[in-house]
């Protein structure tokens, strides 16, 4: 009954189901696993997943989620890891080259304020994949690099010697919040081969 209620569109009913399943503990796991692994609707799978990750062996389901064929569920796995303070860096390492840009955006956000030595390198790997067409991807990179722009941008420059050669790199220079980006920003702002209207955003970025 609780499993059925978990799939109800009414939030209050789902909340009652959540509480009941949590109170059942490991006794509820077999039925939850059926819903998580077999339901045709990914939203129903996600509801079962969020109950399971709060069980004693929640990490096992996170590892399953990040390997799922559905990008929404891979993102859900990463969000659960952040919520539970699990091994976020280890998961980002596995997803950093994911074929879906939505998943990579989630990876960038997961690195926000993460001060482990590997965080900057992983961010750089994500930044290299910025194609200059997805503003949400660019903003995710900006959120991820918050308060650590110096080290993250430096790691990026180790892989990309000249970020001005493509639109993705120019956008990262524009979005960066570090003195290390200023020489590149000055070149973009003063490039006479580009019309003034297109260069104005680089002038504004000096703020």
């Amino acid at each position: 009954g609780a499993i059925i209620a978990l799939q109800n569109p009414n939030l209050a009913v789902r909340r009652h189901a959540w509480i009941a399943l949590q109170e059942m503990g490991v006794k509820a796991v077999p039925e939850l696993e059926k819903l998580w692994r077999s339901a045709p609707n990914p939203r129903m799978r996600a509801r079962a997943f969020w109950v399971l990750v709060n069980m004693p062996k929640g990490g096992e389901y996170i590892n399953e989620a990040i390997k799922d064929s559905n990008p929404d569920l891979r993102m859900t796995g990463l969000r659960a890891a952040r919520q539970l303070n699990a091994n976020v860096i280890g998961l980002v390492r596995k997803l950093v080259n994911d074929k879906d840009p939505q998943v990579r955006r989630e990876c960038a956000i997961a690195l926000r304020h993460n001060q482990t030595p590997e965080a900057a390198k992983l961010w750089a790997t994500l930044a290299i994949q910025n194609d200059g067409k997805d503003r949400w991807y660019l903003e995710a990179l900006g959120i991820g690099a918050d308060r650590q722009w110096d080290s993250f941008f430096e790691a990026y420059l180790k892989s990309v010697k000249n970020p001005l050669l493509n639109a993705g790199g120019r956008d990262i220079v524009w979005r960066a919040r570090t003195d290390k980006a200023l020489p590149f920003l000055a070149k973009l702002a003063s490039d006479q081969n580009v019309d003034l209207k297109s260069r104005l955003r680089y002038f504004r970025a000096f703020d």
Side-chain angles (χ1 to χ4, degrees):
I3 293 292
I4 294 172
L6 190 66
Q7 301 171 71
N8 193 290
N10 185 284
L11 289 172
V13 174
R14 292 212 303 266
R15 176 61 179 168
H16 281 298
W18 169 279
I19 293 171
L21 290 164
Q22 289 293 326
E23 289 176 349
M24 292 177 203
V26 294
K27 293 180 181 178
V29 168
E31 290 300 319
L32 283 165
E33 286 184 341
K34 288 179 184 178
L35 184 61
W36 160 235
R37 293 172 178 154
S38 305
N41 188 329
R43 291 171 179 80
M44 300 306 119
R45 293 184 61 203
R47 292 179 192 177
F49 169 79
W50 278 112
V51 182
L52 286 167
V53 293
N54 284 277
M55 297 289 186
K57 296 182 179 180
E60 295 179 7
Y61 305 105
I62 291 176
N63 289 327
E64 287 183 29
I66 66 165
K67 297 174 184 176
D68 199 273
S69 60
N70 188 310
D72 287 331
L73 291 173
R74 296 199 295 277
M75 293 163 62
T76 302
L78 189 52
R79 289 174 181 175
R82 290 171 57 200
Q83 187 180 99
L84 300 173
N85 295 317
N87 181 21
V88 172
I89 286 293
L91 297 177
V92 171
R93 190 187 305 127
K94 294 177 180 178
L95 296 170
V96 73
N97 290 305
D98 195 279
K99 63 183 179 180
D100 195 296
Q102 296 179 98
V103 177
R104 299 198 304 274
R105 290 198 307 241
E106 199 67 34
C107 287
I109 293 171
L111 294 174
R112 179 178 172 87
H113 301 162
N114 190 306
Q115 298 183 353
T116 56
E118 193 177 355
K121 184 178 179 180
L122 290 170
W123 184 90
T125 302
L126 293 165
I128 291 169
Q129 299 174 75
N130 180 44
D131 60 8
K133 299 176 182 178
D134 185 344
R135 292 298 294 274
W136 294 112
Y137 192 93
L138 177 64
E139 186 56 26
L141 290 171
I143 292 169
D146 183 53
R147 299 182 187 176
Q148 298 192 88
W149 269 107
D150 287 351
S151 60
F152 280 30
F153 192 74
E154 184 176 358
Y156 173 67
L157 291 180
K158 288 181 179 178
S159 299
V160 180
K161 301 302 180 184
N162 186 359
L164 306 186
L165 295 179
N166 59 64
R170 292 191 291 272
D171 276 351
I172 288 173
V173 168
W174 170 79
R175 181 62 179 81
R177 300 293 183 266
T178 170
D179 290 348
K180 298 178 187 295
L182 290 180
F184 300 106
L185 193 62
K187 289 181 180 179
L188 289 170
S190 61
D191 186 354
Q192 299 297 318
N193 295 316
V194 179
D195 66 280
L196 179 61
K197 186 176 180 180
S198 299
R199 287 187 280 137
L200 287 177
R201 70 172 184 146
Y202 301 122
F203 282 102
R204 290 192 291 268
F206 278 102
D207 284 341

